[in-house]
Structures are given as C-alpha cells and as structure tokens.
Amino acid sequence: AHNLAKLNIPVSIFNVDFDNGAVAKGCEIAKDLNNVIFLEGDFLKKQFRGVKMGLLIGVLCSIPKGGCITVLKRLKKNFSNGILVASCVAPTMKEHDPEMEYILRYITGWNLAYKDLEELQKIFSDAGWKPIGHFSDCHGFHNMVIGQLE
C-alpha cells in the first residue's frame, strides 16, 4: 500500500485488521500518506462502496470452504466492477514444509484449511465471482485467485 500510494495515483487505500498493533504500525508507516487509511475492526462489517480492487491475504487460510464462500459473497456488496485477489495456503506447504505447518498449527494455534487451486477457483465461482486469473508464490505454498464480479 505504501509504494502504491507514492505513485500519486488518485486512489484511496483502506487497510482493515482486527489487530490494533498492526493498525498502529500501519498508521506509523503511512503517516505522510493522505490516501492510506488503517482501520481496526471486522472488514466484513465495514461499509465501502465502489471498491475497484480488494486483497484478502491470509483471510481464507483457516476458513473451511463453506465459510470462504460466505465471506466472498458478503464482500460483493462493496464492489462495483472491481476485482478481488485472495490467497489461501496450498496443500503443498504442508507436504513440503512440515516445520512451518507445525509452527502455524501448534505454536501459533492457526489451524489451516488447505485449498488447492481448483478448490479456491470453485469457491470464487460458487460465491458469484468469475475467476479471471491465478498465480502462486515461487514454492507453490500459496495460491492466489483473481476474481471479477459476474
């Protein structure tokens, strides 16, 4: 968000997080940027209109399929011909990095609901988003799907 704001493109960037520490750090980093706003709270309860692009990073990772569909459906009201990019941890992370799986599950308490690319694309479709693209990190540990409102 910080680098995007520096491009002087007429855009407002809203970052919503439950973690007040993350919000405070974001506010500190972006203190000189008028178009970057950090808000504490539940992004599903915030009312934004006319969103052109949304990013869900780490949000769907611990939510089962049905819950992911509900989240994506609820976000649709905020978008107007926009796109949504959402990431989810892939089964390959569990298979190829069992130490990270252990840390996330047993030390941080983050119970991951692994989804492969096809499942994540189906979640988008079932929620009324048209998958128009996808990509992954260099290890294939995280799948990202780009969806557009249908």
Side-chain angles (χ1 to χ4, degrees):
H2 191 268
N3 290 336
L4 182 61
K6 286 179 155 182
L7 295 175
N8 293 322
I9 298 171
V11 63
S12 294
I13 302 167
F14 294 90
N15 301 273
V16 183
D17 202 309
F18 281 116
D19 183 346
N20 64 355
V23 170
K25 183 67 174 174
C27 289
E28 179 185 324
I29 291 170
K31 65 184 172 210
D32 299 327
L33 303 171
N34 295 329
N35 58 340
V36 179
I37 299 159
F38 285 83
L39 303 168
E40 184 178 352
D42 182 344
F43 70 92
L44 290 174
K45 293 181 180 175
K46 299 288 182 190
Q47 295 296 313
F48 299 105
R49 295 286 183 239
V51 173
K52 300 295 183 199
M53 181 178 185
L55 302 173
L56 291 182
I57 308 301
V59 174
L60 303 180
C61 292
S62 62
I63 303 174
K65 180 181 176 179
C68 291
I69 293 169
T70 300
V71 167
L72 296 185
K73 281 182 176 179
R74 288 184 60 192
L75 285 175
K76 287 170 41 175
K77 70 183 182 302
N78 295 320
F79 284 78
S80 63
N81 275 341
I83 62 168
L84 177 66
V85 180
S87 74
C88 190
V89 66
T92 53
M93 198 276 291
K94 182 178 183 177
E95 296 162 13
H96 296 287
D97 195 354
E99 293 163 346
M100 181 57 72
E101 154 70 10
Y102 181 87
I103 290 168
L104 291 172
R105 187 172 300 273
Y106 298 108
I107 296 177
T108 69
W110 199 16
N111 291 314
L112 300 172
Y114 298 95
K115 297 164 194 76
D116 61 27
L117 178 60
E118 291 76 26
E119 184 176 10
L120 190 55
Q121 288 175 317
K122 178 127 176 52
I123 287 168
F124 266 75
S125 295
D126 290 350
W129 293 85
K130 178 183 177 184
I132 59 170
H134 61 85
F135 57 99
S136 182
D137 64 82
C138 63
H139 302 290
F141 291 174
H142 297 89
N143 292 315
M144 274 88 34
V145 170
I146 304 165
Q148 187 172 35
L149 284 178
E150 293 191 283

